[in-house]
Amino acid sequence: MFKYQINDEIELRLLEVRHAEQLFNVTDKSRDSLREWLPWIDFTKTVEDSRGFIMGTMQQFSRNDGFQAGIWHKGELAGVIGLHGINWSNKSTSIGYWLGKGHEGNGLMTQSCEAVIEYCFTELGLNRIEIRTATGNKKSMAIPIRLGFQQEGRLQQAEWLYDKFVDHFVFGMVKEDWNKR
């Protein structure tokens, strides 16, 4: 099992099939708030759906194409952070993340992103990381801004969210700039 200890209260662990019920529960309890920005919520209806997601993430990890890790806070699953795949030719990736209801505002995601970014640059040898957020998702946008990412552009109608298209901001960070922080 992969585990990355951030501090005494926060750790990242690869999602495993045994976490399916916990993952479904935090998703289900947060359904209304997550649905505003995440297109997969309506497709996550049962523990089996969460189990299927986890099995897919295990395959992703075994292909050396990134990972999805649970964010544990004081022993409780609080959310997920991961890579949307790795472009090994260009040494780049993008990070996705979400937190369950009641876990926001504690710095969990900023610290988790910082740990994943450091891991990508030092352990994986990547050179570029992107974070894309819907332009209206102020909480999600605050993370890359707080971590010193550059806003590089706006993608028009980049994602279909249930009944409408939303634009995305693209934030980027390269290893050289990260090391200067």
Side-chain angles (χ1 to χ4, degrees), residues 43-178:
F43 302 106
T44 306
K45 298 176 182 175
T46 67
V47 173
E48 284 305 311
D49 295 329
S50 293
R51 185 174 284 111
F53 168 75
I54 291 171
M55 290 171 59
T57 69
M58 293 171 78
Q59 291 172 354
Q60 176 192 20
F61 184 71
S62 71
R63 290 189 314 266
N64 198 28
D65 192 30
F67 61 88
Q68 302 298 316
I71 302 168
W72 269 262
H73 181 237
K74 298 180 183 178
E76 181 182 351
L77 182 60
V80 174
I81 187 168
L83 307 181
H84 295 128
I86 299 174
N87 181 328
W88 288 105
S89 297
N90 293 312
K91 297 186 177 197
S92 64
T93 192
S94 64
I95 297 175
Y97 47 79
W98 62 268
L99 279 177
K101 191 172 182 148
H103 297 283
E104 310 98 330
N106 298 312
L108 297 177
M109 194 53 73
T110 299
Q111 292 176 73
S112 296
C113 277
E114 193 168 27
V116 168
I117 293 163
E118 188 66 31
Y119 178 80
C120 287
F121 286 146
T122 59
E123 300 298 321
L124 297 180
L126 300 181
N127 185 61
R128 177 179 168 76
I129 298 171
E130 284 185 6
I131 295 175
R132 296 182 182 198
T133 68
T135 56
N137 191 342
K138 305 294 184 203
K139 288 181 182 179
S140 188
M141 272 191 296
I143 304 296
I145 292 169
R146 192 175 297 125
L147 292 172
F149 278 61
Q150 295 297 311
Q151 184 176 331
E152 298 177 331
R154 181 184 188 127
L155 304 174
Q156 292 184 343
Q157 298 184 10
E159 183 178 33
W160 177 256
L161 281 178
Y162 303 103
D163 61 351
K164 65 184 178 300
F165 283 104
V166 296
D167 293 356
H168 279 188
F169 284 132
V170 178
F171 295 91
M173 175 65 72
V174 293
K175 184 177 183 177
E176 180 181 352
D177 291 341
W178 181 257

